[in-house]
């Protein structure tokens, strides 16, 4: 969180990047390592959040941005990858475990709109007690996200893809 | 033929539990148990740790109310250090605890219980959740989310992070509030007040909708226990313990929390990890008492904030003076949010919260200390014994949810007897049994540290012990 701030300080940010995971859970922390690297290269139009888990309260910070990228470890992923997200059509509420799609669904219901959203996944193998170790994967994910920031062409392509994927889900 | 019906897991509570209902030969409810099926062990593995680590360790008891454990822990440590902490530190700790009450109560009401209350106990279970609530009443859902966020923001503004802030320390706190953060929090206060006042309006409208639930959700005489300040004013951080009965009579007053073992006993049942504390002068289990919002509003003379005192007056008229039904926990919770917000406003206006005199430092000066404060769910005790080097020799944690254990069991039995008619139990009745537990907002992560025999099998048995059937409910519904 950046201080000082007021409600009006939020304004409408271009990007919000949320790294998700447990810092003590081995590869589970990969998403947070990615955003910590991004934080070093901070850009004024980008807000970085590093969270242990997703909670409903994040919907209000997501609402304040035009585009949101979730970054998370994924045991089923083979490569660092990005894909557009749409709201979960059948969200399963569980107070301790919210998915990015579930958050988008809650946001759509409570606010009537959602930002364009992506999920960046990193392959994960070990969620045991310890620290995430694969710096190359983190670097690759950082480069991928920076390419989204930097390239209008790339951004436009992803935005178009996202719009197609979101389908009937309303977006800003 | 005695039959046993099990609800497992109990949903929309903090932690994991199940409920057993025993039917007699006629299909009537003979008894009901609330089992807590998780074990933590903090009291044991804290032995040998340095006193300075206790706040950080015990905060990990719970991700919902770490602040409560931080405060009780450092208050125990203050005793062991034998220090009087600076006035600024007291105010900052109070601010933190009030924020904790706001965020935890908001979670309980808006996220966990409002779906039952606003959508109906018999409504579609697949919609009876925060998504269903948001669809039916987006303003309430949105306001509730932001209200909880506000409590978390105060905690973050003080402690650096929303969960497990390592900011409270023996002897005080680790830093003051900055003027910029204070200004931001002050700017957020009006919206939070609006949200809870709107929710109170909704709650009062709902009371007429659920007379049968109010009459059957833990509606029985018991004692009520909690901290009060001078003149019996509602208290959350300091003060002395008061015990009242269901007529409002003060049974005991001015009790020193540090001497809790002289008047509170701790029983253990074989079928739950949850301890069963009781008021010793009445014995076990007659010494059943309740803690938390319902108890705090019953024992206090007033809340000492104008908006909340008006609500308290109306509350007492509506519930008949003393609230003996646990259904009113929800209503009491909202009034506590309101008084907490008013008190937060006062504290944010106090220049002491910016003071640089926020910590007293000392070594080990006593070998025993008890810390006591009001957690959102009720009175919380941390009791430590240390050696001359400040290494923990013994720990006892007396947690709010545990102190409500006897009342939760009686609540389950009362709801079961009132609503169950034979072995076929409609989903809405299952939900009412769960909702009776949810009214207490139990935090099982906090309260499960007493070793017992954990029943792992979900069963319906006859009186000969023969397994008849097993009932389960899918988690999240």
């Amino acid at each position: 969180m950046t201080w000082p701030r007021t409600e009006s300080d939020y304004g409408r940010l271009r990007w919000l990047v949320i790294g998700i995971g447990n810092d003590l859970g081995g590869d589970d922390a990969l998403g947070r390592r990615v955003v910590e690297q991004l934080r070093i290269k901070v850009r004024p139009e980008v807000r970085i959040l590093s969270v242990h888990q997703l909670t409903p309260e994040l919907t209000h910070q997501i609402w304040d941005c035009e585009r949101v990228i979730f970054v998370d470890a994924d045991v089923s992923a083979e490569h660092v990858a990005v894909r557009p997200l749409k709201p979960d059509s059948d969200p399963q509420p569980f107070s301790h475990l919210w998915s990015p799609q579930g958050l988008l669904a809650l946001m759509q219901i409570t606010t009537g709109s959602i930002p364009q959203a992506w999920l960046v996944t990193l392959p994960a193998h070990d969620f045991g007690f310890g620290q995430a170790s694969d710096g190359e994967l983190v670097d690759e994910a950082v480069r991928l996200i920076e390419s989204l920031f930097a390239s209008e062409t790339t951004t436009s392509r992803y935005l178009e893809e996202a719009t197609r994927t979101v389908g009937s889900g309303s977006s800003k | 033929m005695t039959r046993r019906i099990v609800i497992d897991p109990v949903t929309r509570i903090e932690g994991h539990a199940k409920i057993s209902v025993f039917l007699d030969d006629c299909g009537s409810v003979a008894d009901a148990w609330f089992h807590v099926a998780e074990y933590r062990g903090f009291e044991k593995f804290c032995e040998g740790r340095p006193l300075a680590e206790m706040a950080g360790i015990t905060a990990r008891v719970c991700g919902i109310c770490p602040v409560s454990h931080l405060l009780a822990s450092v208050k125990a440590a203050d005793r062991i250090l034998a220090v009087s902490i600076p006035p600024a530190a007291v105010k900052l700790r109070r601010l933190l605890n009030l924020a904790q009450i706001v965020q935890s109560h908001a979670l309980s009401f808006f996220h966990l219980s409002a779906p039952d209350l606003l959508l109906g106990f018999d409504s579609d279970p697949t919609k009876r959740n925060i998504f269903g609530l948001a669809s039916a009443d987006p303003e309430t859902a949105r306001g509730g989310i932001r209200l909880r966020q506000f409590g978390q923001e105060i905690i973050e503004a003080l402690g650096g992070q929303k969960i497990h802030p390592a900011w409270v320390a023996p002897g005080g706190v680790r830093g003051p509030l900055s003027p910029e953060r204070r200004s931001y929090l002050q700017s957020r206060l009006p919206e939070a007040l609006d949200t809870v006042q709107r929710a109170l309006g909704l709650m009062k409208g709902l009371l007429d909708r659920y007379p049968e639930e109010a009459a059957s959700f833990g509606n029985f005489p018991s004692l009520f226990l909690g901290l009060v300040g001078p003149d019996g004013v509602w208290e959350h951080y300091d003060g002395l313990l008061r015990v009242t009965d269901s007529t409002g009579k003060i049974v005991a007053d001015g009790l020193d929390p540090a001497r809790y073992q002289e008047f509170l006993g701790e029983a253990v049942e074989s079928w739950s990890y949850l301890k069963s504390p009781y008021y010793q002068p009445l014995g076990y289990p007659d010494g059943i008492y309740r803690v938390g919002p319902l108890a705090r509003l019953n024992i206090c003379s007033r809340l000492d904030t104008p908006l909340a005192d008006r609500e308290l007056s109306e509350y007492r008229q509506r519930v008949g003076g003393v609230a003996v039904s646990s259904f009113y926990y929800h209503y009491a919770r909202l009034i506590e949010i309101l008084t907490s917000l008013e008190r937060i406003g006062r504290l944010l206006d106090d220049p002491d919260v910016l003071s640089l005199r926020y910590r007293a430092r000392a070594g080990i000066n006593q070998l025993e200390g008890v810390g006591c404060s009001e957690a959102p769910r009720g009175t919380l005790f941390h009791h430590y014994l240390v050696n001359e080097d400040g290494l923990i020799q013994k720990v006892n944690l007396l947690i709010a949810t545990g102190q409500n254990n006897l009342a939760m069991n009686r609540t389950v039995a009362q709801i079961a007897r009132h609503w169950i008619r034979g072995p076929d139990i409609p989903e809405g009745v299952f939900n009412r049994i769960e909702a009776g537990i949810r009214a207490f907002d139990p935090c099982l992560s906090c309260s499960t540290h007493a070793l017992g025999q954990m029943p792992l099998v979900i069963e319906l048995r006859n009186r000969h012990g023969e397994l008849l059937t097993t009932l389960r409910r899918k988690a999240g519904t």
Side-chain angles (χ1 to χ4, degrees), chain B residues 49-332:
Chain B
R49 305 308 307 171
L51 176 65
E53 289 183 0
M54 287 302 287
I57 293 173
T58 57
R60 266 66 186 179
V61 167
C62 182
I64 301 297
C65 49
V67 164
S68 306
H69 289 284
L70 279 170
L71 289 173
S73 180
V74 296
K75 288 186 73 180
D78 292 344
R79 293 269 187 142
I80 290 171
L81 269 54
V83 292
S84 176
I85 73 171
V90 173
K91 291 173 183 175
L92 287 162
R93 285 184 182 182
R94 282 183 174 275
L95 184 57
L96 188 75
N97 202 33
L98 291 166
Q100 163 70 5
I101 289 170
V102 169
Q103 73 87 13
S104 179
H105 280 2
L107 172 69
S108 172
F109 182 79
F110 292 95
H111 292 222
L112 305 179
S113 292
D116 290 329
L117 298 169
L118 294 176
L119 305 178
F121 291 93
D122 296 304
S123 60
D124 180 354
T126 65
K127 307 290 184 193
R128 202 173 52 220
N129 53 49
I130 192 169
F131 289 102
L133 175 69
S135 297
D137 189 343
E139 187 178 352
T140 294
R142 191 168 54 243
I145 292 169
R146 281 183 66 80
L147 182 62
R148 181 169 190 235
Q149 183 189 38
F150 178 55
Q152 290 177 322
E153 284 181 331
I154 297 173
I155 295 169
E156 187 178 10
L158 291 167
Q161 57 193 54
K162 298 183 180 78
I163 302 171
H164 306 315
W167 172 75
V168 188
V173 297
R174 298 186 194 278
L177 185 62
S178 73
E180 295 81 9
R181 294 179 186 197
R182 178 173 72 166
S183 296
Y184 171 75
L185 296 174
Q186 286 170 323
S187 76
R188 289 275 277 114
L189 196 55
E191 179 194 335
L193 283 164
D194 285 347
T195 296
V196 72
Q197 288 177 291
R198 183 176 183 279
L200 272 164
L202 280 174
M203 185 72 224
K204 285 182 269 191
L206 291 168
L207 292 178
D208 296 333
R209 188 171 151 189
Y210 297 116
E212 199 170 356
E213 284 77 7
S216 61
F217 279 25
N219 187 26
F220 50 75
S222 77
L223 300 175
F224 300 96
L225 179 144
L227 291 170
V228 292
D231 301 325
V233 169
W234 183 87
E235 178 55 65
H236 64 100
Y237 171 77
D238 226 329
L240 296 170
L241 292 166
R242 172 178 282 182
V243 182
T244 64
D245 68 16
S246 294
T247 69
K249 177 187 163 192
I250 296 175
V251 174
D253 205 9
L255 300 172
D256 180 357
R259 303 174 71 172
Y260 74 99
Q261 289 180 318
E262 295 176 10
F263 48 89
L264 297 181
E266 300 179 42
V268 176
E269 295 289 358
S270 61
W271 37 266
S272 178
Y273 281 134
L274 201 56
K275 286 196 260 194
S276 299
Y278 59 99
Y279 182 61
Q280 277 191 21
L282 297 190
Y284 182 78
D286 293 340
I288 176 176
Y289 65 93
R290 283 176 270 188
V291 296
L294 189 84
R296 288 191 290 254
L297 293 200
N298 279 341
I299 64 170
C300 76
S301 59
R302 65 184 191 280
L303 295 165
D304 206 26
T305 59
L307 295 175
D309 266 327
R310 278 201 291 277
E311 293 292 344
L312 179 64
S313 176
E314 183 177 348
Y315 167 87
R316 286 179 170 166
Q317 286 178 348
R318 286 177 176 271
V319 303
V322 178
V324 293
S325 169
S326 296
F327 184 78
Y328 295 124
Y329 264 101
H330 303 297
Y331 190 1

Side-chain angles (χ1 to χ4, degrees), chain B residues 402-417:
Chain B
Q403 293 172 79
N404 278 331
N405 192 20
L406 289 173
M408 288 191 290
N409 271 287
R410 194 171 290 186
T411 295
V412 168
Q414 185 179 52
I415 296 172
R417 288 190 182 103

Side-chain angles (χ1 to χ4, degrees), chain A residues 16-92:
Chain A
L16 174 65
V17 187
I18 304 175
I20 309 159
N22 180 348
D23 272 339
L24 300 178
D27 291 346
D28 194 34
L30 284 170
R32 297 184 72 170
R33 290 195 57 195
V34 170
V35 299
E36 293 307 328
Q37 280 208 23
L38 284 169
R39 198 192 295 276
I40 296 169
K41 309 171 182 179
V42 66
R43 303 157 63 104
E45 73 277 25
V46 179
R47 173 172 291 141
I48 302 291
L49 287 178
S50 177
V51 300
H52 183 84
Q53 59 193 7
L54 298 178
T55 60
E57 291 73 33
L58 287 170
T59 55
H60 292 285
Q61 299 192 48
I62 296 171
W63 191 85
D64 288 319
C65 68
E66 294 175 2
R67 304 174 181 100
V68 59
I69 302 171
F70 298 92
V71 191
D72 201 2
D74 183 353
V75 288
S76 64
E78 295 182 355
H79 313 285
V80 175
V82 59
R83 63 186 170 91
L85 285 181
K86 60 181 180 180
D88 195 335
S89 59
D90 183 24
Q92 298 298 311

